[in-house]
Amino acid sequence: MTSFTERPLPTATYRLQLQPEFPFAAAGRAVPDLAALGVSHLHLSPVLEAVPGSTHGYDVTDPTRVRAELGGEDGLRELAATARAHGLGLVLDLVPNHMAASPRHSPALRAVLRDGPDSPYARWFDIDWAAGDGRMLLPVLPARLPEVRDRLRVADGALRLDGLDLPLRPGTEGLPLDTLLDAQHYRLAWWRLARTDLNYRRFFTISDLIGVRVEDPEVFAATHAKVVELVADGVVAGLRIDHPDGLADPEGYLERLEAATGGRCWTVVEKILTGPEQLPASWPVAGTTGYDALRRIDGLFTDPVGADELADVYREFVGRAGDRGGYWEATARRAAYKVVSHELAAETAALTRSAERICAADVRLRDHAPWALHTAIRELLVRVPVYRTYRTGGEEVLTPEAARGAKAAFAVPEEATAVDVVRDLALGRFGDGPEHRSFRARFAQTSSALRAKSVEDTAFYRYTPLLSANEVGGEPGRPAVAPDEFHAYCTRLARDWPGSGTVLTTHDTKRSADVRAGIAVLAQCPRRWAELLEEVAGVPAPDPHLAWTAWQTAFGFGSPDPDRLGPAVLKSVREAGLHTSWTEPDPAYERAVTEFVAAGPGRIPLRGASAAAFALEPHIAAHRLGATLVQLTMPGVPELYQGTEREYRALVDPDNRAPYAPGPDDEQTVLVRAALRLRRERPELFGPRGHYTPLTAVGQAAPHCVAFTRGGRVLTAVTRLSLRLAEAGGWQDTELALPDGRWRDVLDGVREFTGGPDTPVKAAELFDARPVALLVRATGRREE
């Protein structure tokens, strides 16, 4: 097989959100416009059979078939043919970790519920049949069983209640109801019992999504046969692997996928890298889906000094109404304890049961109390600084320092030795039997779920000084990235992962890039933001933390819209879990939130509330255009989310998952077309052999200019922190020396600059027309 650096790479991808309102046929009609935009591949959201009506497709019900609601396999193949006729390939979003826990719609799960552990499909799912009473807990009832018992009906060989349709164990149809219920391979239960009693692996804390055991070769073959066929037939040219951290052995899965597809695919993984963490070099992929790039780009356009000052203003404003203290590290740790003890109680209980079984069978490990093992598991999990461990490098994650911190939770030092046992089990030091392998895998899988739920889905909504930093893969405690750090990242990306994806907006971002640009500018003027909040203080809010979050969201969004802002703000307070939550809602508080948004952020045009706010618009635009150009020309394969070829303001899902619709061109479209045309016409400049060279401006305002070349023939230059630049007097004497040669401005096709160390270009001249510049090296009338 060829290495990923030797395979043809997409020049750029375009993500389309398929759904019943936008099926394959609609995507086919969009192909000519998207091909003209300059992308090389369409990236499709999941296409396999899913729960009817699903608007996202991650709730797969049958991985052996292409989704009928989208047009079925014929429709997908027709779309591929249309795309191919316009020079485009297809990239599929593949979901290996989980399926919908929907007995009505999933043939495999239905067979397991009917036939139990003897079903040939039982090996598909991570079900602990030994837990509880030996049955699979099915937490689907709207209330406790006694409260709904009289509404249960047996008809046509199935057990039914409202929308439920559950298969019956053969031979039990004629039994009295109570006997019949006890005779099934599943235990019907109130939905709230999932938190503590669930005995199947799920996706994060979503009991409607059941984990799939793709580490089993037979399960892999069965669940991937259709996708492998589509790759072999040339219908599919690339794969995005959803949530690999949920798998028992991500590396083993990727190796099996690489072998099954014959090395024909450009493959990237939705892997969230934390801090300096890097993708394991042994993984047979081209790279990540790009959240690591997103963090660096957003950070490049964030003012570090202002961000710190804004955090101080935030703490003063919210006081004790937010998460106690208002500091990121403490907020994240408290969120981790909450999630591991509450939302993931069933997962930690499963790990404890596994550890108990191992200890009971090994004389070296006996006499550790279950509570001590449970405490050790909890304390180690909250100290995992990244998403999870892998085959190698576990000692760098589960460090001796983490173990010492975990032991501090024990009042009796002798009991704290349970921490050493759990750590060694998680690192694979006590054996390689089935139970040992299971514990290692489940510890890593639970660690991943904990990180996602406690950081992305809890702490990001509790600590909100600068919401633009609270993005997937982001670091709210350190939102800014210096130019030198950004260049070092790009240099490493070009060297090690030139085919990795880059993104600014996705279906999972909490705010689109353009909304984040509107928020990030506030780090350049924290006191002005404080004054804006004073101007709208007459609209009473349920609490200061909610006021800060809602107003900042509205400022980034740019215009009052209660129908879109209201649901996004309500979701934020439920995720934060400080006053209400998804499972324990406070109706009075939520009503107050809705009324506040309608009266304030959803009604008052904050950007136009004062001349000071309106004056920020040019600087928001400079950030937006600069981030776009950097993403499209830096190392990696850029992805455009549907609609982002023009200004695109969207909030958290489902607001950002509306069907694709074309729109009018704007200044962003001109930039996007120019950059994508260059990538398509000169792929060698941007691929594995297209080196990345940082350029350094000189002069008083040099830190405000970020520039680099690709392949020595394309030059990107952008304005950074333009508000601070303006306040400091503009570019003044700042200059940028271009490499030797003549350089033509691609964005207007007219301006030319002469390169060379003796003829530096004035920054004021370079950025005279717009805050960004895209140049190509030329000779005569033709580009080199």
Side-chain angles (χ1 to χ4, degrees), residues 239-328:
L239 295 171
R240 171 200 182 269
I241 309 304
D242 181 71
H243 187 47
D245 279 347
L247 304 177
D249 178 12
E251 184 174 350
Y253 166 80
L254 294 168
E255 290 169 347
R256 186 170 287 120
L257 182 67
E258 170 80 345
T261 56
R264 299 182 183 91
C265 281
W266 172 71
T267 304
V268 289
V269 287
E270 187 204 22
K271 168 61 191 162
I272 311 302
L273 299 170
T274 304
E277 181 188 18
Q278 297 188 34
L279 193 67
S282 56
W283 285 14
V285 297
T288 73
T289 56
Y291 287 114
D292 44 319
L294 183 155
R295 177 169 69 85
R296 268 74 175 204
I297 299 169
D298 276 7
L300 180 66
F301 291 91
T302 299
D303 179 21
V305 176
D308 288 343
E309 186 178 348
L310 190 66
D312 292 336
V313 175
Y314 165 76
R315 282 188 284 270
E316 179 181 348
F317 185 89
V318 303
R320 303 290 290 184
D323 185 73
R324 301 185 307 276
Y327 292 89
W328 169 245

Side-chain angles (χ1 to χ4, degrees), residues 585-619:
D586 182 333
Y589 181 81
E590 293 191 358
R591 185 165 54 252
V593 169
T594 301
E595 292 172 354
F596 165 67
V597 173
R603 183 181 64 85
I604 298 173
L606 194 57
R607 284 194 193 175
S610 66
F614 183 75
L616 296 177
E617 292 293 344
H619 306 292

Side-chain angles (χ1 to χ4, degrees), residues 6 112 208 211 229 245 267-268 272 302 311 333 344 424 428 441 471 538 571 578 593 663 686 761:
E6 296 171 336
V112 172
D208 291 340
E229 176 191 339
D245 279 347
T267 304
V268 289
I272 311 302
T302 299
R333 178 61 60 85
L344 293 177
D424 285 344
E471 197 48 82
K571 180 172 183 174
L578 294 171
V593 169
F686 297 92
V761 176

Side-chain angles (χ1 to χ4, degrees), residues 367-410:
D367 293 341
H368 287 284
W371 73 264
L373 293 171
H374 184 273
T375 301
I377 289 167
R378 179 193 68 205
E379 295 297 327
L380 282 173
L381 282 172
V382 300
R383 286 171 173 79
V384 175
V386 294
Y387 274 71
R388 59 166 286 170
T389 57
Y390 300 105
R391 284 184 183 176
T392 58
E395 294 82 357
E396 299 172 7
V397 174
L398 290 173
T399 63
E401 290 76 15
R404 283 194 290 272
K407 289 178 180 180
F410 289 79

Side-chain angles (χ1 to χ4, degrees), residues 190-209:
W190 187 24
W191 65 270
R192 286 188 177 276
L193 293 187
R195 183 177 68 81
T196 54
D197 293 6
L198 199 71
N199 62 341
Y200 62 81
R201 184 173 64 85
R202 55 186 168 173
F203 172 66
F204 294 165
T205 58
I206 303 174
S207 302
D208 291 340
L209 297 174

